[in-house]
Amino acid sequence: MDEMKRSIELFEKAKNFIPGGVSSPVRAIKPYPFYTKSAHGSRIMDVDGNEYIDYCMGYGPLILGHSYPAIKEALKRQLDDGWLYGTPCELEVELSEKINRYFPAIEMMRFVNTGTEATMAAIRVARGFTGLDKFIKIEGGFHGAHDACLVKAGSGATTHGVPDSLGVPRDFTKNTLQVPYNDIESLVSLIEANKGEIAALIMEPVLGNIGTITPEKGYLEEVRAVTAENDILLIFDEVITGFRLAMGGAQEYFGVKPDMTTLGKVIGGGIPIGVVGGRRDIMENVSPQGKVYQAGTFNGNPLSLAAGIATIETLVKEDVHRVINARGERLRNALAEIIHDAGLDYAVGGIGSMFIVFFGELPSNYTEALKCDKEGYFKFFGRMLKHGIFLPPSQFETNFISFAHSEEDIDTTIATFGDELAV
Ligand SMILES: *Cc1c(COP(=O)(O)O)cnc(C)c1O
């Protein structure tokens, strides 16, 4: 996998016209990223003919793997009928019914184009509904790249050292309050200090943008109780976990019901999508029914909807969660054993089909995650890539197992981790 001539050429050109040479920061792999030519199943192929087992999987959406036939068929069928209408179409009725079936807490919803748009709209709706400006987010939580949420934001923002972005007016984040994950006391005192002023708490129920950090037993239930007692809307940002941990996402997995939910990634089957939804009395405030404005030329676009419907049907038909969650568990157990046998002070995080090796102790929040040896992780990433395994190029991301990852892929992956972790 040493030959990267064409990728280097493309990257040198790209740097002239595209900041950092990439269209999204997490793709900026030093010294240069590989350029993809095609991707099928669990494999991604670069322009120099190298092939990798892919655990980035588009950073979450590709739960069925690359180029899954049923999605491709749905897209082809849709292409024959046009790909943008600017009018309502039957697909949005069908997908909203399906989403409501698995997410009963989503009584009404709007289709947007990205997770970023979904959380931006969710916060606006929550503010419009409550008439309050302040909201709480969890440190290290990532809700897309919009102003109000770029405070101690995870993902590429932390990887590239800009968890608090330049260019965001202080006025736009002064109502963004922060608490550590897995810390109910901090939440209670923050609410106490801002009593009657907080519209919502937005959180990833499982943190997926700072490695994978899972909730301690009872934490989500307590968050639900405290927010309800204080009339604070609880927004679960399930852009990663929705249709990933289970059909009904983390809210089904943990049995905790939020007031509002955002979806994205998996529900578009690899085509851009976002969903903002929640209680009927809240969502009725969205324009044109209510006075909270939200609009978009590409909202509810037929290709995303068709891919989303095909995704849901396949997840059910193939019992995908049972398969990928079992593979996730097998892989995490094997990695933990490798780490233990090699006497490394690393830890395996994750849940369901999500996993990460932390180069340090198992973190329970953002501050602890930052203590991990991220340079050590990045060197390891490079060794894995050389051996044909494409992991996320940052300690602060999550690996995703897809339905296309075979048992043999998992075996190869375990063996390669075994060879490269302890180097
Ligand atoms: C990826 C992500 C987003 C942003 O979604 P985009 O489609 O990239 O805008 C929001 N929230 C969470 C939890 C995410 O992982």
Side-chain angles (χ1 to χ4, degrees):
M1 305 268 166
D2 294 328
E3 185 59 63
M4 292 196 66
K5 194 163 161 287
R6 184 69 186 139
S7 282
I8 297 170
E9 279 170 18
L10 289 170
F11 187 57
E12 289 305 323
K13 275 195 203 172
K15 281 192 289 188
N16 291 324
F17 302 108
I18 303 174
V22 291
S23 295
S24 193
V26 73
R27 301 177 200 169
I29 300 167
K30 285 196 177 95
Y32 37 75
F34 70 81
Y35 276 67
T36 299
K37 180 159 188 292
S38 63
H40 296 277
S42 63
R43 306 301 163 113
I44 190 163
M45 263 71 66
D46 73 14
V47 289
D48 291 294
N50 302 303
E51 181 179 305
Y52 312 91
I53 301 180
D54 183 7
Y55 286 101
C56 284
M57 280 292 149
Y59 292 91
L62 300 169
I63 196 167
L64 301 174
H66 290 283
S67 312
Y68 191 78
I71 308 269
K72 204 175 181 173
E73 281 314 308
L75 288 172
K76 279 186 179 161
R77 273 197 308 275
Q78 188 53 46
L79 284 174
D80 285 341
D81 289 336
W83 46 89
L84 180 65
Y85 301 145
T87 72
C89 69
E90 189 168 341
L91 294 167
E92 66 200 4
V93 182
E94 193 180 338
L95 185 56
S96 62
E97 276 180 332
K98 280 198 187 333
I99 289 176
N100 170 259
R101 184 176 318 149
Y102 297 106
F103 284 79
I106 304 183
E107 294 169 353
M108 281 186 125
M109 70 202 80
R110 167 144 302 167
F111 294 108
V112 294
N113 301 288
T114 62
T116 298
E117 284 178 37
T119 65
M120 195 164 78
I123 291 165
R124 184 179 302 152
V125 171
R127 284 170 160 167
F129 176 74
T130 58
L132 301 170
D133 289 343
K134 291 185 183 173
F135 76 94
I136 303 174
K137 78 176 271 294
I138 302 290
E139 291 174 4
F142 182 72
H143 307 292
H146 60 92
D147 287 354
C149 284
L150 284 180
V151 194
K152 287 198 185 171
S155 191
T158 288
T159 304
H160 294 283
V162 287
D164 310 280
S165 172
L166 287 185
V168 177
R170 222 203 77 66
D171 270 4
F172 291 18
T173 54
K174 70 175 188 218
N175 292 310
T176 308
L177 312 175
Q178 304 259 355
V179 280
Y181 189 63
N182 277 326
D183 181 347
I184 205 75
E185 279 87 53
S186 293
L187 177 62
V188 169
S189 33
L190 184 71
I191 292 174
E192 205 51 49
N194 295 273
K195 216 159 179 62
E197 296 180 274
I198 300 168
L201 163 62
I202 185 166
M203 67 185 299
E204 298 173 74
V206 171
L207 297 188
N209 286 285
I210 191 75
T212 319
I213 305 183
T214 49
E216 284 163 8
K217 201 166 166 27
Y219 172 65
L220 294 175
E221 288 85 346
E222 284 183 88
V223 168
R224 175 64 284 187
V226 171
T227 48
E229 275 160 29
N230 290 279
D231 293 322
I232 294 169
L233 298 181
L234 178 59
I235 307 169
F236 274 178
D237 180 355
E238 297 227 41
V239 168
I240 286 182
T241 49
F243 291 97
R244 159 77 55 188
L245 285 188
M247 289 305 287
Q251 49 198 272
E252 177 193 314
Y253 194 98
F254 294 105
V256 175
K257 190 173 178 179
D259 302 297
M260 297 183 72
T261 302
T262 53
L263 300 173
K265 296 192 173 131
V266 167
I267 195 54
I271 310 294
I273 201 168
V275 178
V276 50
R279 269 168 35 200
R280 182 173 309 280
D281 61 321
I282 299 171
M283 289 302 291
E284 279 175 346
N285 289 281
V286 175
S287 185
Q289 197 164 349
K291 292 197 153 62
V292 177
Y293 201 67
Q294 200 295 320
T297 303
F298 297 106
N299 279 3
N301 91 77
L303 285 177
S304 308
L305 299 169
I309 292 165
T311 300
I312 291 184
E313 285 170 350
T314 306
L315 290 175
V316 174
K317 189 168 124 218
E318 304 289 344
D319 204 359
V320 167
H321 295 106
R322 193 184 50 76
V323 175
I324 61 176
N325 290 0
R327 286 187 188 149
E329 182 154 338
R330 178 162 88 87
L331 182 52
R332 282 191 300 276
N333 288 340
L335 297 182
E337 208 177 296
I338 290 169
I339 288 167
H340 178 265
D341 292 351
L344 297 165
D345 48 4
Y346 299 164
V348 181
I351 181 170
S353 55
M354 300 160 67
F355 73 95
I356 182 81
V357 171
F358 285 109
F359 276 45
E361 281 174 35
L362 189 68
S364 65
N365 61 36
Y366 181 63
T367 311
E368 289 174 15
L370 293 184
K371 290 185 191 146
C372 290
D373 174 13
K374 64 180 176 140
E375 283 82 24
Y377 174 90
F378 185 71
K379 286 189 191 133
F380 168 69
F381 155 83
R383 295 197 297 276
M384 292 297 278
L385 194 67
K386 270 206 170 67
H387 289 87
I389 298 197
F390 178 41
L391 306 176
S394 163
Q395 176 74 91
F396 307 125
E397 300 287 346
T398 288
N399 294 272
F400 295 102
I401 295 170
S402 79
F403 190 51
H405 288 92
S406 64
E407 297 293 346
E408 296 76 59
D409 286 337
I410 303 288
D411 289 337
T412 306
T413 305
I414 293 168
T416 314
F417 266 87
D419 292 342
E420 298 306 322
L421 260 180
V423 172

